[in-house]
Amino acid sequence: MTINVAVSGAAGRMGATVCRAVQAADDMALAGRADPELEVALEDVLGDADVVVDFTIPDQALRNARLCLEAGVHCVMGTTGANFSELEGVGEANLFVAPNFAIGAVLLMEASKRIARHMPECEIVELHHDHKLDAPSGTALRTAEQIRTAGGNVHEPIHSVRLPGLVAHEEVVFGGPGQTLSLRHNSIDRESFMPGVLLAVRRVGSLERSPTVGLEQLLES
Ligand SMILES: NC(=O)c1ccc[n+]([C@@H]2O[C@H](COP(=O)([O-])OP(=O)(O)OC[C@H]3O[C@@H](n4cnc5c(N)ncnc54)[C@H](O)[C@@H]3O)[C@@H](O)[C@H]2O)c1
């Protein structure tokens, strides 16, 4: 069965990459491209879509997710810098949110939780291209939340670096008596996010709760 996917933010860096990934997937069809730059509104593509993938801007993301859910269209949300908890129970469709769709970033978070049990003191440095609107990154906030839940002490502030030449990078540095341990993940190309985005498109319709947050929720342990 073909999944009809519309992309919100289709003219952007991530949106354009998602359009190409959807077109290359055997089980998906690109049902629409919404973006003010293309003069196409999200409302105009909802009728043809089973799933919307949103990579837009922080102050539009909540509105876009609500539009999808109220129209009965599942939503895969990649836009960071917004809180979607108020959308619990809205509409019949499901919302899946991931601050980071790269498997390496998810594995960094998982490893950090284990390390924090033994070396709780740590700092997070996140580094991104200089067009990123939110800081600290959604990935860094999620990493901090997970480390704290595991008993770690994430020092404030989280450090945010914005420079041309970077894509998306995160380093967690743990320190204990006489030793440090650093974990670093680098997304050097936006292709790194595509397997996670396509997995979420395939799974969003069968989620048990909405919103579901975090790619780790969709991965085998
Ligand atoms: N979750 C992840 O793995 C991940 C990875 C990379 C980036 N991101 C996030 O994705 C978002 C987009 O990043 P980007 O680098 O592609 O940004 P970008 O600026 O290149 O693209 C954003 C696009 O959204 C469009 N847009 C704005 N308002 C819109 C609306 N109401 N409806 C439809 N389109 C609209 C803009 O015109 C633009 O083309 C950011 O929040 C970024 O932090 C998430």
Side-chain angles (χ1 to χ4, degrees):
M1 217 180 73
T2 301
I3 309 170
N4 294 307
V5 182
V7 177
S8 172
R13 286 171 288 251
M14 283 298 290
T17 312
V18 173
C19 288
R20 287 194 293 276
V22 166
Q23 285 175 313
D26 291 341
D27 56 343
M28 296 178 199
L30 186 61
R33 301 172 196 251
D35 197 301
E37 293 214 0
L38 305 173
E39 298 182 0
V40 179
L42 177 56
E43 292 88 326
D44 299 337
V45 300
L46 284 176
D48 297 324
D50 304 312
V51 177
V52 164
V53 179
D54 187 288
F55 282 95
T56 59
I57 54 177
D59 68 359
Q60 292 294 308
L62 189 60
R63 170 191 170 274
N64 287 354
R66 184 179 286 280
L67 276 176
C68 294
L69 297 179
E70 288 179 348
V73 178
H74 302 301
C75 181
V76 171
M77 178 55 68
T79 310
T80 53
N83 183 344
F84 300 95
S85 53
E86 71 182 68
L87 296 182
E88 193 173 340
V90 171
E92 296 294 308
N94 291 336
L95 172 62
F96 177 79
V97 183
N100 201 313
F101 281 98
I103 179 73
V106 174
L107 293 173
L108 181 151
M109 289 184 220
E110 293 292 309
S112 294
K113 287 194 286 188
R114 174 159 162 65
I115 294 165
R117 294 207 295 272
H118 306 281
M119 296 177 73
E121 301 303 318
C122 64
E123 300 230 357
I124 299 176
V125 186
E126 57 92 349
L127 311 91
H128 283 82
H129 60 85
D130 56 344
H131 295 288
K132 185 169 175 61
L133 296 179
D134 53 320
S137 69
T139 303
L141 292 172
R142 176 97 178 141
T143 306
E145 181 190 331
Q146 297 216 354
I147 291 174
R148 287 184 180 124
T149 304
N153 180 28
V154 182
H155 297 191
E156 294 285 353
I158 293 169
H159 309 281
S160 298
V161 177
R162 297 289 177 265
L163 283 172
L166 296 169
V167 179
H169 316 258
E170 180 181 47
E171 185 158 336
V172 184
V173 186
F174 296 88
Q179 60 184 326
T180 67
L181 172 56
S182 300
L183 295 180
R184 183 169 169 123
H185 176 255
N186 299 295
S187 276
I188 52 178
D189 190 295
R190 291 181 177 81
E191 288 297 325
S192 62
F193 304 113
M194 295 306 115
V197 171
L198 298 186
L199 174 67
V201 167
R202 292 182 182 113
R203 298 280 296 279
V204 65
S206 56
L207 295 175
E208 285 177 8
R209 25 169 232 292
S210 172
T212 289
V213 180
L215 189 66
E216 66 278 9
Q217 309 288 341
L218 305 185
L219 300 173
E220 306 279 323
S221 55

PDB file of all heavy atoms in Angstrom, residues 124-144:
ATOM      1  N   ILE A 124      26.994  19.785  28.023  1.00  0.00           N
ATOM      2  CA  ILE A 124      26.586  19.523  26.638  1.00  0.00           C
ATOM      3  C   ILE A 124      26.975  20.719  25.781  1.00  0.00           C
ATOM      4  O   ILE A 124      26.697  21.873  26.137  1.00  0.00           O
ATOM      5  CB  ILE A 124      25.062  19.278  26.541  1.00  0.00           C
ATOM      6  CG1 ILE A 124      24.664  18.053  27.364  1.00  0.00           C
ATOM      7  CG2 ILE A 124      24.637  19.104  25.075  1.00  0.00           C
ATOM      8  CD1 ILE A 124      23.163  17.786  27.410  1.00  0.00           C
ATOM      9  N   VAL A 125      27.613  20.426  24.658  1.00  0.00           N
ATOM     10  CA  VAL A 125      27.925  21.453  23.653  1.00  0.00           C
ATOM     11  C   VAL A 125      27.203  21.044  22.375  1.00  0.00           C
ATOM     12  O   VAL A 125      27.392  19.919  21.898  1.00  0.00           O
ATOM     13  CB  VAL A 125      29.443  21.529  23.362  1.00  0.00           C
ATOM     14  CG1 VAL A 125      29.746  22.699  22.429  1.00  0.00           C
ATOM     15  CG2 VAL A 125      30.239  21.631  24.649  1.00  0.00           C
ATOM     16  N   GLU A 126      26.336  21.931  21.848  1.00  0.00           N
ATOM     17  CA  GLU A 126      25.698  21.624  20.556  1.00  0.00           C
ATOM     18  C   GLU A 126      26.132  22.666  19.546  1.00  0.00           C
ATOM     19  O   GLU A 126      26.274  23.847  19.879  1.00  0.00           O
ATOM     20  CB  GLU A 126      24.182  21.502  20.700  1.00  0.00           C
ATOM     21  CG  GLU A 126      23.464  22.702  21.286  1.00  0.00           C
ATOM     22  CD  GLU A 126      22.962  23.685  20.247  1.00  0.00           C
ATOM     23  OE1 GLU A 126      23.325  23.565  19.080  1.00  0.00           O
ATOM     24  OE2 GLU A 126      22.192  24.586  20.650  1.00  0.00           O
ATOM     25  N   LEU A 127      26.397  22.210  18.327  1.00  0.00           N
ATOM     26  CA  LEU A 127      26.955  23.078  17.287  1.00  0.00           C
ATOM     27  C   LEU A 127      26.117  22.937  16.021  1.00  0.00           C
ATOM     28  O   LEU A 127      25.857  21.810  15.570  1.00  0.00           O
ATOM     29  CB  LEU A 127      28.405  22.694  16.982  1.00  0.00           C
ATOM     30  CG  LEU A 127      29.362  22.517  18.178  1.00  0.00           C
ATOM     31  CD1 LEU A 127      29.374  21.072  18.673  1.00  0.00           C
ATOM     32  CD2 LEU A 127      30.772  22.915  17.778  1.00  0.00           C
ATOM     33  N   HIS A 128      25.668  24.054  15.464  1.00  0.00           N
ATOM     34  CA  HIS A 128      24.819  24.026  14.270  1.00  0.00           C
ATOM     35  C   HIS A 128      25.202  25.128  13.291  1.00  0.00           C
ATOM     36  O   HIS A 128      25.867  26.100  13.668  1.00  0.00           O
ATOM     37  CB  HIS A 128      23.337  24.195  14.646  1.00  0.00           C
ATOM     38  CG  HIS A 128      22.714  22.954  15.202  1.00  0.00           C
ATOM     39  ND1 HIS A 128      22.850  22.581  16.526  1.00  0.00           N
ATOM     40  CD2 HIS A 128      21.955  21.986  14.617  1.00  0.00           C
ATOM     41  CE1 HIS A 128      22.201  21.442  16.726  1.00  0.00           C
ATOM     42  NE2 HIS A 128      21.649  21.053  15.590  1.00  0.00           N
ATOM     43  N   HIS A 129      24.673  25.006  12.064  1.00  0.00           N
ATOM     44  CA  HIS A 129      24.824  26.052  11.047  1.00  0.00           C
ATOM     45  C   HIS A 129      24.207  27.363  11.554  1.00  0.00           C
ATOM     46  O   HIS A 129      23.350  27.356  12.448  1.00  0.00           O
ATOM     47  CB  HIS A 129      24.151  25.608   9.744  1.00  0.00           C
ATOM     48  CG  HIS A 129      22.685  25.343   9.885  1.00  0.00           C
ATOM     49  ND1 HIS A 129      21.734  26.331   9.785  1.00  0.00           N
ATOM     50  CD2 HIS A 129      22.003  24.205  10.155  1.00  0.00           C
ATOM     51  CE1 HIS A 129      20.540  25.813   9.974  1.00  0.00           C
ATOM     52  NE2 HIS A 129      20.672  24.525  10.208  1.00  0.00           N
ATOM     53  N   ASP A 130      24.629  28.459  11.009  1.00  0.00           N
ATOM     54  CA  ASP A 130      24.263  29.768  11.561  1.00  0.00           C
ATOM     55  C   ASP A 130      22.882  30.275  11.124  1.00  0.00           C
ATOM     56  O   ASP A 130      22.524  31.403  11.436  1.00  0.00           O
ATOM     57  CB  ASP A 130      25.345  30.815  11.243  1.00  0.00           C
ATOM     58  CG  ASP A 130      25.624  30.933   9.762  1.00  0.00           C
ATOM     59  OD1 ASP A 130      25.224  30.022   8.993  1.00  0.00           O
ATOM     60  OD2 ASP A 130      26.235  31.933   9.356  1.00  0.00           O
ATOM     61  N   HIS A 131      22.080  29.408  10.426  1.00  0.00           N
ATOM     62  CA  HIS A 131      20.701  29.805  10.112  1.00  0.00           C
ATOM     63  C   HIS A 131      19.704  29.189  11.078  1.00  0.00           C
ATOM     64  O   HIS A 131      18.502  29.436  10.960  1.00  0.00           O
ATOM     65  CB  HIS A 131      20.335  29.409   8.673  1.00  0.00           C
ATOM     66  CG  HIS A 131      21.141  30.140   7.644  1.00  0.00           C
ATOM     67  ND1 HIS A 131      20.959  31.470   7.375  1.00  0.00           N
ATOM     68  CD2 HIS A 131      22.156  29.728   6.860  1.00  0.00           C
ATOM     69  CE1 HIS A 131      21.828  31.859   6.446  1.00  0.00           C
ATOM     70  NE2 HIS A 131      22.574  30.813   6.124  1.00  0.00           N
ATOM     71  N   LYS A 132      20.182  28.394  12.009  1.00  0.00           N
ATOM     72  CA  LYS A 132      19.266  27.740  12.948  1.00  0.00           C
ATOM     73  C   LYS A 132      18.642  28.789  13.861  1.00  0.00           C
ATOM     74  O   LYS A 132      19.333  29.639  14.421  1.00  0.00           O
ATOM     75  CB  LYS A 132      20.020  26.686  13.774  1.00  0.00           C
ATOM     76  CG  LYS A 132      19.102  25.890  14.688  1.00  0.00           C
ATOM     77  CD  LYS A 132      19.820  24.698  15.284  1.00  0.00           C
ATOM     78  CE  LYS A 132      18.954  23.961  16.299  1.00  0.00           C
ATOM     79  NZ  LYS A 132      17.719  23.419  15.724  1.00  0.00           N
ATOM     80  N   LEU A 133      17.290  28.718  14.039  1.00  0.00           N
ATOM     81  CA  LEU A 133      16.572  29.772  14.761  1.00  0.00           C
ATOM     82  C   LEU A 133      16.556  29.552  16.279  1.00  0.00           C
ATOM     83  O   LEU A 133      16.545  30.510  17.035  1.00  0.00           O
ATOM     84  CB  LEU A 133      15.125  29.872  14.257  1.00  0.00           C
ATOM     85  CG  LEU A 133      14.952  30.300  12.792  1.00  0.00           C
ATOM     86  CD1 LEU A 133      13.472  30.335  12.405  1.00  0.00           C
ATOM     87  CD2 LEU A 133      15.577  31.672  12.549  1.00  0.00           C
ATOM     88  N   ASP A 134      16.498  28.289  16.737  1.00  0.00           N
ATOM     89  CA  ASP A 134      16.359  28.046  18.179  1.00  0.00           C
ATOM     90  C   ASP A 134      17.698  27.655  18.810  1.00  0.00           C
ATOM     91  O   ASP A 134      18.560  27.077  18.158  1.00  0.00           O
ATOM     92  CB  ASP A 134      15.292  26.971  18.463  1.00  0.00           C
ATOM     93  CG  ASP A 134      15.526  25.686  17.673  1.00  0.00           C
ATOM     94  OD1 ASP A 134      15.900  25.773  16.490  1.00  0.00           O
ATOM     95  OD2 ASP A 134      15.368  24.596  18.245  1.00  0.00           O
ATOM     96  N   ALA A 135      17.858  28.005  20.078  1.00  0.00           N
ATOM     97  CA  ALA A 135      19.036  27.614  20.860  1.00  0.00           C
ATOM     98  C   ALA A 135      18.640  27.583  22.337  1.00  0.00           C
ATOM     99  O   ALA A 135      17.926  28.483  22.786  1.00  0.00           O
ATOM    100  CB  ALA A 135      20.192  28.604  20.657  1.00  0.00           C
ATOM    101  N   PRO A 136      19.042  26.571  23.128  1.00  0.00           N
ATOM    102  CA  PRO A 136      19.779  25.394  22.679  1.00  0.00           C
ATOM    103  C   PRO A 136      18.934  24.529  21.737  1.00  0.00           C
ATOM    104  O   PRO A 136      17.710  24.679  21.688  1.00  0.00           O
ATOM    105  CB  PRO A 136      20.077  24.636  23.978  1.00  0.00           C
ATOM    106  CG  PRO A 136      19.589  25.457  25.100  1.00  0.00           C
ATOM    107  CD  PRO A 136      18.735  26.526  24.558  1.00  0.00           C
ATOM    108  N   SER A 137      19.556  23.629  21.032  1.00  0.00           N
ATOM    109  CA  SER A 137      18.847  22.768  20.074  1.00  0.00           C
ATOM    110  C   SER A 137      17.885  21.827  20.797  1.00  0.00           C
ATOM    111  O   SER A 137      18.082  21.488  21.964  1.00  0.00           O
ATOM    112  CB  SER A 137      19.855  21.926  19.291  1.00  0.00           C
ATOM    113  OG  SER A 137      20.460  20.973  20.142  1.00  0.00           O
ATOM    114  N   GLY A 138      16.857  21.400  20.074  1.00  0.00           N
ATOM    115  CA  GLY A 138      15.908  20.424  20.623  1.00  0.00           C
ATOM    116  C   GLY A 138      16.613  19.136  21.020  1.00  0.00           C
ATOM    117  O   GLY A 138      16.270  18.503  22.018  1.00  0.00           O
ATOM    118  N   THR A 139      17.621  18.757  20.254  1.00  0.00           N
ATOM    119  CA  THR A 139      18.385  17.541  20.574  1.00  0.00           C
ATOM    120  C   THR A 139      19.102  17.692  21.913  1.00  0.00           C
ATOM    121  O   THR A 139      19.086  16.782  22.743  1.00  0.00           O
ATOM    122  CB  THR A 139      19.428  17.271  19.467  1.00  0.00           C
ATOM    123  OG1 THR A 139      18.744  17.169  18.230  1.00  0.00           O
ATOM    124  CG2 THR A 139      20.206  16.004  19.737  1.00  0.00           C
ATOM    125  N   ALA A 140      19.718  18.859  22.130  1.00  0.00           N
ATOM    126  CA  ALA A 140      20.455  19.069  23.383  1.00  0.00           C
ATOM    127  C   ALA A 140      19.495  19.081  24.578  1.00  0.00           C
ATOM    128  O   ALA A 140      19.794  18.513  25.637  1.00  0.00           O
ATOM    129  CB  ALA A 140      21.235  20.374  23.314  1.00  0.00           C
ATOM    130  N   LEU A 141      18.332  19.703  24.409  1.00  0.00           N
ATOM    131  CA  LEU A 141      17.353  19.737  25.510  1.00  0.00           C
ATOM    132  C   LEU A 141      16.867  18.328  25.841  1.00  0.00           C
ATOM    133  O   LEU A 141      16.713  17.962  27.004  1.00  0.00           O
ATOM    134  CB  LEU A 141      16.171  20.640  25.133  1.00  0.00           C
ATOM    135  CG  LEU A 141      16.507  22.136  25.021  1.00  0.00           C
ATOM    136  CD1 LEU A 141      15.331  22.916  24.446  1.00  0.00           C
ATOM    137  CD2 LEU A 141      16.893  22.696  26.395  1.00  0.00           C
ATOM    138  N   ARG A 142      16.636  17.544  24.780  1.00  0.00           N
ATOM    139  CA  ARG A 142      16.184  16.163  24.984  1.00  0.00           C
ATOM    140  C   ARG A 142      17.289  15.322  25.631  1.00  0.00           C
ATOM    141  O   ARG A 142      17.029  14.511  26.519  1.00  0.00           O
ATOM    142  CB  ARG A 142      15.779  15.581  23.628  1.00  0.00           C
ATOM    143  CG  ARG A 142      15.381  14.139  23.646  1.00  0.00           C
ATOM    144  CD  ARG A 142      13.892  13.973  23.730  1.00  0.00           C
ATOM    145  NE  ARG A 142      13.515  12.571  23.703  1.00  0.00           N
ATOM    146  CZ  ARG A 142      12.552  12.061  24.426  1.00  0.00           C
ATOM    147  NH1 ARG A 142      11.851  12.828  25.238  1.00  0.00           N
ATOM    148  NH2 ARG A 142      12.242  10.792  24.351  1.00  0.00           N
ATOM    149  N   THR A 143      18.526  15.515  25.203  1.00  0.00           N
ATOM    150  CA  THR A 143      19.656  14.781  25.793  1.00  0.00           C
ATOM    151  C   THR A 143      19.765  15.119  27.276  1.00  0.00           C
ATOM    152  O   THR A 143      19.926  14.227  28.116  1.00  0.00           O
ATOM    153  CB  THR A 143      20.976  15.142  25.069  1.00  0.00           C
ATOM    154  OG1 THR A 143      20.824  14.940  23.671  1.00  0.00           O
ATOM    155  CG2 THR A 143      22.134  14.293  25.574  1.00  0.00           C
ATOM    156  N   ALA A 144      19.656  16.418  27.598  1.00  0.00           N
ATOM    157  CA  ALA A 144      19.759  16.843  29.001  1.00  0.00           C
ATOM    158  C   ALA A 144      18.647  16.210  29.838  1.00  0.00           C
ATOM    159  O   ALA A 144      18.890  15.712  30.950  1.00  0.00           O
ATOM    160  CB  ALA A 144      19.686  18.367  29.074  1.00  0.00           C
TER     161      ALA A 144
END
